[in-house]
Short mmCIF file of all heavy atoms in Angstrom, two decimals:
data_model
loop_
_atom_site.label_atom_id
_atom_site.label_comp_id
_atom_site.label_asym_id
_atom_site.label_seq_id
_atom_site.Cartn_x
_atom_site.Cartn_y
_atom_site.Cartn_z
N PHE A 186 -50.04 61.51 -15.18
CA PHE A 186 -50.28 62.15 -16.47
C PHE A 186 -51.64 62.84 -16.43
O PHE A 186 -52.66 62.21 -16.22
CB PHE A 186 -50.21 61.13 -17.60
CG PHE A 186 -50.37 61.73 -18.97
CD1 PHE A 186 -49.36 62.44 -19.54
CD2 PHE A 186 -51.56 61.57 -19.68
CE1 PHE A 186 -49.51 63.00 -20.82
CE2 PHE A 186 -51.73 62.11 -20.95
CZ PHE A 186 -50.69 62.82 -21.51
N ALA A 187 -51.66 64.15 -16.63
CA ALA A 187 -52.88 64.93 -16.50
C ALA A 187 -53.67 64.97 -17.80
O ALA A 187 -53.12 65.21 -18.87
CB ALA A 187 -52.54 66.37 -16.09
N ILE A 188 -54.98 64.75 -17.70
CA ILE A 188 -55.87 64.87 -18.84
C ILE A 188 -56.92 65.92 -18.49
O ILE A 188 -57.70 65.75 -17.54
CB ILE A 188 -56.55 63.52 -19.18
CG1 ILE A 188 -55.50 62.47 -19.52
CG2 ILE A 188 -57.53 63.70 -20.34
CD1 ILE A 188 -56.06 61.10 -19.80
N MET A 189 -56.93 67.00 -19.26
CA MET A 189 -57.83 68.12 -19.03
C MET A 189 -58.76 68.28 -20.23
O MET A 189 -58.29 68.18 -21.38
CB MET A 189 -57.03 69.42 -18.83
CG MET A 189 -55.92 69.32 -17.79
SD MET A 189 -56.49 69.31 -16.08
CE MET A 189 -56.91 71.04 -15.85
N THR A 190 -60.02 68.55 -19.99
CA THR A 190 -60.94 68.82 -21.08
C THR A 190 -61.03 70.32 -21.33
O THR A 190 -61.01 71.12 -20.41
CB THR A 190 -62.35 68.27 -20.81
OG1 THR A 190 -63.21 68.60 -21.92
CG2 THR A 190 -62.94 68.81 -19.52
N GLY A 191 -61.13 70.69 -22.61
CA GLY A 191 -61.31 72.08 -22.97
C GLY A 191 -62.77 72.44 -23.18
O GLY A 191 -63.08 73.56 -23.59
N SER A 192 -63.69 71.51 -22.90
CA SER A 192 -65.11 71.76 -23.11
C SER A 192 -65.66 72.68 -22.02
O SER A 192 -65.25 72.64 -20.88
CB SER A 192 -65.88 70.42 -23.08
OG SER A 192 -67.26 70.64 -23.09
N GLU A 193 -66.61 73.51 -22.43
CA GLU A 193 -67.37 74.30 -21.45
C GLU A 193 -68.63 73.58 -21.01
O GLU A 193 -69.13 73.82 -19.92
CB GLU A 193 -67.80 75.65 -22.06
CG GLU A 193 -66.70 76.69 -22.11
CD GLU A 193 -65.91 76.65 -23.39
OE1 GLU A 193 -66.22 75.82 -24.25
OE2 GLU A 193 -64.97 77.43 -23.52
N VAL A 194 -69.17 72.71 -21.90
CA VAL A 194 -70.55 72.25 -21.72
C VAL A 194 -70.68 70.77 -21.39
O VAL A 194 -71.79 70.29 -21.16
CB VAL A 194 -71.38 72.56 -22.99
CG1 VAL A 194 -71.46 74.07 -23.21
CG2 VAL A 194 -70.82 71.87 -24.23
N ALA A 195 -69.58 70.04 -21.34
CA ALA A 195 -69.66 68.61 -21.00
C ALA A 195 -68.68 68.26 -19.90
O ALA A 195 -68.13 67.16 -19.85
CB ALA A 195 -69.38 67.77 -22.24
N VAL A 196 -68.44 69.21 -19.01
CA VAL A 196 -67.44 69.02 -17.94
C VAL A 196 -67.90 67.98 -16.96
O VAL A 196 -67.11 67.12 -16.51
CB VAL A 196 -67.15 70.35 -17.25
CG1 VAL A 196 -66.11 70.16 -16.15
CG2 VAL A 196 -66.70 71.39 -18.24
N ASP A 197 -69.17 68.00 -16.59
CA ASP A 197 -69.65 67.07 -15.57
C ASP A 197 -69.48 65.62 -16.02
O ASP A 197 -69.03 64.77 -15.27
CB ASP A 197 -71.10 67.35 -15.20
CG ASP A 197 -72.07 67.35 -16.39
OD1 ASP A 197 -71.63 67.42 -17.55
OD2 ASP A 197 -73.30 67.30 -16.15
N SER A 198 -69.79 65.35 -17.29
CA SER A 198 -69.64 63.97 -17.79
C SER A 198 -68.18 63.59 -17.90
O SER A 198 -67.79 62.45 -17.60
CB SER A 198 -70.35 63.82 -19.14
OG SER A 198 -69.83 64.68 -20.10
N ALA A 199 -67.33 64.52 -18.35
CA ALA A 199 -65.90 64.22 -18.47
C ALA A 199 -65.27 63.94 -17.10
O ALA A 199 -64.47 63.02 -16.95
CB ALA A 199 -65.18 65.36 -19.16
N LEU A 200 -65.66 64.73 -16.10
CA LEU A 200 -65.15 64.48 -14.75
C LEU A 200 -65.62 63.11 -14.25
O LEU A 200 -64.88 62.39 -13.58
CB LEU A 200 -65.62 65.57 -13.79
CG LEU A 200 -65.00 66.95 -13.99
CD1 LEU A 200 -65.70 67.97 -13.10
CD2 LEU A 200 -63.50 66.94 -13.72
N ALA A 201 -66.84 62.74 -14.62
CA ALA A 201 -67.39 61.47 -14.15
C ALA A 201 -66.62 60.27 -14.71
O ALA A 201 -66.47 59.26 -14.03
CB ALA A 201 -68.87 61.36 -14.55
N PHE A 202 -66.09 60.40 -15.94
CA PHE A 202 -65.35 59.25 -16.46
C PHE A 202 -63.85 59.38 -16.28
O PHE A 202 -63.08 58.53 -16.75
CB PHE A 202 -65.72 58.90 -17.91
CG PHE A 202 -65.42 59.93 -18.98
CD1 PHE A 202 -64.11 60.26 -19.31
CD2 PHE A 202 -66.43 60.51 -19.70
CE1 PHE A 202 -63.84 61.16 -20.33
CE2 PHE A 202 -66.19 61.42 -20.71
CZ PHE A 202 -64.87 61.74 -21.04
N GLY A 203 -63.39 60.43 -15.57
CA GLY A 203 -62.02 60.38 -15.10
C GLY A 203 -61.05 61.45 -15.54
O GLY A 203 -59.86 61.31 -15.25
N VAL A 204 -61.49 62.53 -16.22
CA VAL A 204 -60.54 63.58 -16.51
C VAL A 204 -60.16 64.29 -15.21
O VAL A 204 -60.86 64.22 -14.21
CB VAL A 204 -61.06 64.58 -17.57
CG1 VAL A 204 -61.48 63.88 -18.85
CG2 VAL A 204 -62.19 65.43 -17.02
N ASP A 205 -59.06 65.02 -15.25
CA ASP A 205 -58.53 65.63 -14.04
C ASP A 205 -58.93 67.08 -13.85
O ASP A 205 -58.73 67.64 -12.76
CB ASP A 205 -56.99 65.55 -14.06
CG ASP A 205 -56.52 64.11 -14.17
OD1 ASP A 205 -56.78 63.33 -13.24
OD2 ASP A 205 -55.93 63.76 -15.21
N GLY A 206 -59.48 67.69 -14.88
CA GLY A 206 -59.86 69.10 -14.74
C GLY A 206 -60.32 69.67 -16.04
O GLY A 206 -60.52 68.96 -17.04
N VAL A 207 -60.50 70.99 -16.05
CA VAL A 207 -61.13 71.68 -17.18
C VAL A 207 -60.40 72.97 -17.47
O VAL A 207 -59.93 73.67 -16.56
CB VAL A 207 -62.62 71.94 -16.88
CG1 VAL A 207 -62.81 72.72 -15.59
CG2 VAL A 207 -63.31 72.64 -18.04
N VAL A 208 -60.29 73.28 -18.76
CA VAL A 208 -59.66 74.52 -19.23
C VAL A 208 -60.72 75.25 -20.09
O VAL A 208 -60.68 75.18 -21.32
CB VAL A 208 -58.38 74.24 -20.04
CG1 VAL A 208 -57.63 75.53 -20.35
CG2 VAL A 208 -57.48 73.28 -19.28
#
Side-chain angles (χ1 to χ4, degrees):
F186 183 74
I188 300 177
M189 309 286 284
T190 178
S192 173
E193 282 89 2
V194 297
V196 181
D197 56 345
S198 60
L200 291 172
F202 64 67
V204 304
D205 302 295
V207 56
V208 189

